[in-house]
């Protein structure tokens, strides 16, 4: 128990540091760019030395932090205020980053949280106040602050340097490119999946690591299609079995934890696994070695290990 608790806390602290550092960069990019918060990634992703997470990746990190923070704030009363502040900050960034998948899973989790842990109308109102009203107020203040400095920063940069800075040219054309790409609710992913399915000649064992790049020269944005491109039907079979097993243990942990709160780490881990399973529909997620994979493996271990008592 001590080892798993240590590893879980360590990973969570690393994720919080990642969130705070890159979240700050996103805020800076938002204030000095003409676009929205999501589009600020185009501005801050100019460094050759730092790999900046995409908005969907940072939103993923925020939701993992939010899940753990809300569970901890419910059961660890000594650190209640800290986790409440952290959960409010993380959910504010979830709204700002505007990832549809993350927002959908967040709303589902919030409804489940209210149904299981709010015993009266006052507690329900507190949840709405903390995780809906306060983040919206913070976002309004952020947008209002940007408008105040708009003439001083944005207009001055474009008027003096806009014709010489390619970065601002790309920012101006970015929304048009996005509108052309969004031909369906999956943002063009269905066409990519069709190409992977029909172009893959090695259907049994696949094309090796990053087989999606080999077939369509970009990510598959789906865990099963990535597995199909990389390791064929054999890999897909193994991947589906692992996913079903993890889903079973996650649901079992959530059901058992409705009346037992002796291990919040297990409960939070179960929710994170369900979230990563849903995210794998529109992202490669834990199918490759990444933050998703590390978190998935740790959470899966948290909910499946067998405690051995020495006599």
């Amino acid at each position: 128990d001590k080892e798993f608790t240590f590893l879980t806390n360590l990973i969570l602290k690393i994720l919080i540091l990642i969130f705070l550092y890159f979240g700050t960069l996103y805020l800076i990019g938002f204030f000095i760019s003409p676009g929205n918060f999501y589009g600020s990634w185009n501005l801050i992703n100019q460094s050759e030395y730092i790999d900046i997470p995409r908005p969907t990746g940072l939103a993923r990190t925020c939701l993992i932090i939010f899940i753990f923070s809300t569970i901890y704030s419910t059961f660890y009363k000594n650190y209640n205020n800290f986790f409440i502040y952290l959960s409010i900050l993380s959910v504010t960034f979830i709204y700002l980053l505007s990832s549809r998948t993350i927002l959908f899973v967040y709303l589902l989790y919030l409804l489940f949280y209210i149904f299981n842990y709010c015993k009266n109308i006052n507690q329900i109102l507190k949840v709405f106040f903390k995780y809906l009203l306060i983040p919206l107020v913070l976002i309004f203040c952020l947008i209002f602050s940007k408008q105040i400095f708009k003439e001083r920063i944005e207009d001055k940069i474009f008027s003096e340097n806009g014709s010489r800075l390619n970065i601002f040219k790309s920012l101006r054309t970015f929304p048009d490119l996005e509108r052309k790409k969004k031909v369906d609710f999956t943002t063009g992913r269905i066409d990519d999946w069709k190409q992977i399915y029909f172009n893959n000649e090695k259907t049994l064992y696949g094309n090796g690591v990053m087989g999606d790049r080999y077939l369509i020269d970009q990510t598959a944005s789906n865990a099963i299609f990535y597995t199909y491109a990389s390791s064929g039907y054999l890999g897909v079979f193994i991947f589906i079995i692992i996913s079903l097993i993890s889903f079973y243990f996650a649901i079992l942990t959530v059901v058992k934890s409705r009346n037992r709160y002796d291990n919040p780490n297990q409960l939070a881990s179960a929710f994170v696994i369900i979230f990563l399973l849903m995210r794998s529909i529109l992202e490669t997620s834990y199918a490759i070695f990444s933050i998703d994979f590390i978190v998935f493996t740790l959470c899966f271990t948290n909910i499946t290990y067998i405690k051995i008592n020495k006599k």
Side-chain angles (χ1 to χ4, degrees), residues 269-284:
S269 296
F271 283 123
V272 170
I273 285 179
I274 295 172
F275 156 57
L276 293 177
L277 287 169
M278 296 179 68
R279 186 172 188 261
S280 67
I281 298 174
L282 294 176
E283 299 290 344
T284 308

Side-chain angles (χ1 to χ4, degrees), residues 42-57:
N42 292 270
L43 179 61
I44 64 176
N45 194 39
Q46 304 299 317
S47 174
E48 298 178 358
Y49 308 102
I50 303 176
D51 188 14
I52 307 295
R54 291 180 176 273
T56 53

Side-chain angles (χ1 to χ4, degrees), residues 54 181 186-196 210-222 225-226 229-230 284:
R54 291 180 176 273
K181 187 178 180 179
T186 64
T187 322
R189 288 178 172 87
I190 292 180
D191 291 334
D192 294 337
W193 300 340
K194 290 179 179 179
Q195 291 185 46
I196 289 175
M210 300 184 74
D212 53 346
R213 306 293 177 122
Y214 173 76
L215 293 176
I216 61 173
D217 198 29
Q218 64 177 1
T219 178
S221 297
N222 177 277
F225 278 97
Y226 169 81
S230 300
T284 308

Side-chain angles (χ1 to χ4, degrees), residues 117-274:
Y117 307 122
C118 295
K119 300 178 181 179
N120 52 58
I121 189 64
N122 289 333
Q123 291 182 345
I124 295 176
L125 292 176
K126 286 182 180 180
V127 169
F128 279 101
F129 179 76
K130 290 185 295 186
Y131 304 135
L132 289 174
L133 182 60
I134 293 181
L136 291 177
V137 171
L138 291 175
I139 292 172
F140 174 80
C141 294
L142 186 64
I143 296 174
F144 182 73
S145 299
K146 179 176 179 177
Q147 292 298 321
I148 293 177
F149 294 101
K150 186 175 182 180
E151 285 189 15
R152 188 178 302 175
I153 297 177
E154 181 183 305
D155 292 346
K156 184 176 180 181
I157 291 176
F158 272 98
S159 62
E160 295 179 0
N161 303 312
S163 61
R164 299 196 301 272
L165 295 177
N166 291 330
I167 176 176
F168 292 108
K169 290 181 179 179
S170 63
L171 279 170
R172 282 178 169 178
T173 58
F174 179 72
D176 295 332
L177 292 175
E178 282 295 294
R179 281 194 293 270
K180 292 179 181 179
K181 187 178 180 179
K182 292 180 180 179
V183 294
D184 53 52
F185 75 98
T186 64
T187 322
R189 288 178 172 87
I190 292 180
D191 291 334
D192 294 337
W193 300 340
K194 290 179 179 179
Q195 291 185 46
I196 289 175
Y197 182 78
F198 290 111
N199 293 343
N200 187 14
E201 298 179 356
K202 300 178 180 179
T203 58
L204 181 60
Y205 52 85
N207 300 278
V209 178
M210 300 184 74
D212 53 346
R213 306 293 177 122
Y214 173 76
L215 293 176
I216 61 173
D217 198 29
Q218 64 177 1
T219 178
S221 297
N222 177 277
I224 290 181
F225 278 97
Y226 169 81
T227 307
Y228 173 71
S230 300
S231 52
Y233 287 120
L234 180 61
V236 170
F237 175 76
I238 297 173
F239 182 82
I240 290 177
I241 293 298
I242 293 173
S243 299
L244 290 175
I245 292 174
S246 62
F247 180 73
Y248 167 77
F249 278 104
I251 295 297
L252 189 64
T253 301
V254 171
V255 173
K256 286 184 176 181
S257 298
R258 293 187 66 179
N259 298 315
R260 288 182 55 199
Y261 307 129
D262 55 333
N263 196 331
N265 275 337
Q266 287 189 342
L267 181 58
S269 296
F271 283 123
V272 170
I273 285 179
I274 295 172

Side-chain angles (χ1 to χ4, degrees), residues 56 59-67 70 91 94-95 98-114 247 268 270-283 285 292:
T56 53
R60 172 273 324 277
T61 302
C62 292
L63 186 54
I64 293 174
I65 294 172
F66 177 74
I67 291 173
T70 51
V91 77
I94 289 175
Y95 289 140
S98 305
S99 172
R100 291 170 297 174
T101 304
I102 304 300
L103 284 170
F104 176 72
V105 178
Y106 155 74
L107 291 174
L108 286 181
Y109 170 75
L110 194 62
L111 290 175
F112 184 88
Y113 181 87
I114 292 173
F247 180 73
F271 283 123
V272 170
I273 285 179
I274 295 172
F275 156 57
L276 293 177
L277 287 169
M278 296 179 68
R279 186 172 188 261
S280 67
I281 298 174
L282 294 176
E283 299 290 344
S285 191
D292 281 32

